Amino acid sequence: MAKFQIVKYGDQILRSKTKPVEKITKEIKQLAEDMIETMYAFYGAGLAAPQIGIPLKICVIDVMPDGKRNPVVLINPVIVSGENKINMEEGCLSFPGIYENVPRFDKITVQYLGLNEQIKTLEAKGFLAKAVQHETDHLNGKLFIDYLQPWKRKLVEKEIKRRKKGGDW
Ligand SMILES: [Zn+2]
């Protein structure tokens, strides 16, 4: 059972500014745990706090290398470098059933605060790099459809409107 419901596109929280986490409290640790559980419940590779209605800079990611669970919790993440931009298909739990190609760095370095209150540096490639960029964007009110060409974005918006009308959003 998922701990949280996922906020879908259209909700203002997905565009709001998030606050940095000041201190790793018991509540933050619990939130991270609940977010991981929610991410798995919805078969996502990542989940950012705004997607469950919480405007805090915290996200969880698991791209399941080797098909095994290996979640990472990123607090106050900042991407400090990126190289080799390529187009990759991606989706988002806040956009169920919608997949689009967007440009992302194939290799990145991200700095973040770990649950042990240590500053960590992670170098990521491929799917993991994409997931980190996607989730970090969420913490800055940015969504993957923002990268689409205007005409393509219009098509996506139209599709969502149609699904909203049908009660399927
Ligand atoms: Zn997303």
Side-chain angles (χ1 to χ4, degrees):
M1 226 347 235
K3 287 273 177 185
F4 297 105
Q5 284 306 305
I6 308 269
V7 169
K8 289 197 187 83
Y9 177 64
D11 192 310
Q12 264 319 104
I13 186 96
L14 293 177
R15 291 298 190 187
S16 69
K17 280 216 168 84
T18 55
K19 280 199 186 124
V21 174
E22 304 286 354
K23 206 171 180 301
I24 308 295
T25 58
K26 220 170 59 197
E27 289 74 22
I28 291 293
K29 285 182 181 164
Q30 186 61 51
L31 173 63
E33 219 170 275
D34 293 345
M35 282 175 66
I36 289 169
E37 200 177 311
T38 304
M39 169 178 69
Y40 290 140
F42 287 92
Y43 303 100
L47 181 71
Q51 292 182 281
I52 50 162
I54 298 174
L56 274 179
K57 289 200 189 295
I58 173 165
C59 61
V60 298
I61 293 173
D62 193 351
V63 298
M64 299 218 195
D66 319 315
K68 285 193 203 106
R69 286 185 176 184
N70 183 26
V72 199
V73 178
L74 306 181
I75 295 164
N76 307 337
V78 177
I79 292 169
V80 290
S81 72
E83 45 185 283
N84 192 20
K85 229 173 218 182
I86 52 172
N87 272 300
M88 291 196 258
E89 188 182 70
E90 67 187 61
C92 177
L93 290 178
S94 296
F95 291 78
I98 291 175
Y99 299 90
E100 294 291 342
N101 275 311
V102 297
R104 298 286 189 191
F105 292 118
D106 187 38
K107 208 175 150 194
I108 56 138
T109 303
V110 59
Q111 265 175 4
Y112 63 98
L113 188 64
L115 283 176
N116 58 0
E117 292 194 310
Q118 303 281 316
I119 299 283
K120 298 190 174 193
T121 303
L122 173 72
E123 285 184 9
K125 271 170 50 172
F127 189 12
L128 180 59
K130 173 172 86 169
V132 170
Q133 290 166 87
H134 180 109
E135 300 310 328
T136 304
D137 271 355
H138 269 302
L139 304 182
N140 296 310
K142 190 158 177 149
L143 301 169
F144 80 125
I145 59 162
D146 299 348
Y147 293 95
L148 299 177
Q149 298 285 332
W151 66 271
K152 200 151 207 192
R153 184 174 168 152
K154 231 174 233 167
L155 285 181
V156 171
E157 302 265 9
K158 220 173 166 183
E159 160 78 5
I160 293 170
K161 216 180 228 174
R162 191 185 61 76
R163 283 177 53 186
K164 261 187 190 158
K165 230 184 214 166
D168 175 31
W169 192 264

